[in-house]
Amino acid sequence: MPQEDCCTGGYRYTISQTLMACSFYPGSNIVNAVSTNNLDKLPNIDNLKRLLQSLAVLDLVLCPEWDNRYYSFDAHWAPGESMASMRNGCGDSFTVLFTASGCFFKGFAHESTLSSWHQGNLKKWQVALNKVPAEFAHAVSEPAFDIDNISFCFWRLVGETSWSTASFATTETDDPDGSLFLLNCLVGDPRNYQEFAEDYFETDVPLAVIQHVYQQLPLTHRVIQQLNPELELADFYDELVDIGYPMNNSQH
């Protein structure tokens, strides 16, 4: 995959991949894009979980090397809990916890105005995070969530009809927390992932195949070959189980 390595954020990418990962904003779909100012565009808890699983599967098939993937999903993070994550290799990331109580989402765009890296912001975040419901208190203290590196967070409890956020005031109105930058693929439009994946992985990714995986339909030999002709299902079956992708009728 990489030809000329560029080390950023602890991961190895080609120069072009790194530039892509650090500058990917919504294109023509910006009106419908997800951000903390537009969380009504975000799917509900169950659909968000399915979408993040699907993104992890697509990245897995397109890029067997874990270190070069954007999206990951662990369906067995802890008893009764699942965790999704994204890291772009440039210091930006998000981590998502799914529990029986709902969903907690923490994002970090390190160069954004509300980033905890900015002077004085970490103290402000420590106050803002007091708004997080008790049901997700363990996520705030969980080392894997790296809560000291944060620029936005939101959550939704089971039974609620909307997402809630924790933040603090800023005069900047142009994506102050980096959520517009990091959440582009979470609007659920397969074209967003297609645009990202074709640029990042430098290969053609058929829209129909993305739609197939978004619907969590069986991973047939034909579907796999359209994403990566060098792979068979047996090559990554165990990782699919870890992701929790439905395996009924998939060819194994």
Side-chain angles (χ1 to χ4, degrees):
M1 184 162 181
Q3 295 177 350
E4 180 181 0
D5 283 335
C6 175
C7 289
T8 54
Y11 305 102
R12 300 185 70 83
Y13 296 87
T14 63
I15 295 289
S16 62
Q17 284 175 311
T18 300
L19 292 173
M20 171 61 195
C22 296
S23 61
F24 187 69
Y25 275 86
S28 58
N29 254 350
I30 192 166
V31 174
N32 294 318
V34 174
S35 74
T36 52
N37 290 322
N38 197 22
L39 287 176
D40 60 323
K41 298 294 184 182
L42 194 71
N44 63 29
I45 296 172
D46 290 340
N47 288 337
L48 177 61
K49 182 177 180 179
R50 286 167 52 92
L51 176 59
L52 286 165
Q53 286 175 309
S54 298
L55 292 172
V57 168
L58 287 163
D59 269 22
L60 162 62
V61 181
L62 287 166
C63 181
E65 299 83 8
W66 186 86
D67 280 354
N68 288 331
R69 298 179 207 157
Y70 230 71
Y71 298 99
S72 300
F73 196 98
D74 185 351
H76 314 290
W77 161 250
E81 298 184 350
S82 301
M83 186 175 76
S85 63
M86 182 285 296
R87 75 274 190 288
N88 67 2
C90 300
D92 307 311
S93 63
F94 65 63
T95 312
V96 192
L97 179 69
F98 295 94
T99 74
S101 298
C103 174
F104 175 78
F105 197 120
K106 187 224 77 168
F108 181 53
H110 72 284
E111 293 186 353
S112 64
T113 300
L114 295 187
S115 165
S116 54
W117 283 18
H118 284 215
Q119 186 174 6
N121 277 4
L122 183 56
K123 276 189 177 179
K124 293 178 182 177
W125 271 112
Q126 289 168 344
V127 173
L129 288 169
N130 288 331
K131 300 177 184 177
V132 175
E135 289 87 343
F136 303 127
H138 64 300
V140 175
S141 60
E142 165 59 50
F145 275 73
D146 194 18
I147 205 68
D148 286 346
N149 291 322
I150 185 172
S151 64
F152 62 89
C153 81
F154 51 85
W155 60 86
R156 187 165 172 174
L157 292 169
V158 170
E160 293 183 336
T161 58
S162 62
W163 296 90
S164 301
T165 63
S167 190
F168 50 89
T170 177
T171 57
E172 184 179 331
T173 57
D174 183 18
D175 196 25
D177 58 10
S179 57
L180 181 64
F181 167 44
L182 293 185
L183 305 183
N184 179 57
C185 285
L186 300 190
V187 72
D189 188 333
R191 292 171 298 178
N192 288 32
Y193 182 81
Q194 182 186 45
E195 180 183 357
F196 154 73
E198 290 189 339
D199 282 335
Y200 181 66
F201 295 116
E202 299 178 349
T203 188
D204 292 334
V205 185
L207 187 63
V209 175
I210 300 173
Q211 292 170 328
H212 183 100
V213 177
Y214 272 26
Q215 295 174 47
Q216 298 200 339
L217 297 173
L219 290 181
T220 63
H221 176 77
R222 181 173 178 273
V223 168
I224 295 166
Q225 291 292 296
Q226 288 184 82
L227 290 171
N228 189 337
E230 297 181 0
L231 287 186
E232 300 289 345
L233 182 59
D235 296 328
F236 57 91
Y237 184 88
D238 289 345
E239 287 193 77
L240 284 178
V241 173
D242 291 339
I243 290 170
Y245 190 86
M247 301 306 296
N248 291 341
N249 300 321
S250 291
Q251 295 176 359
H252 178 43

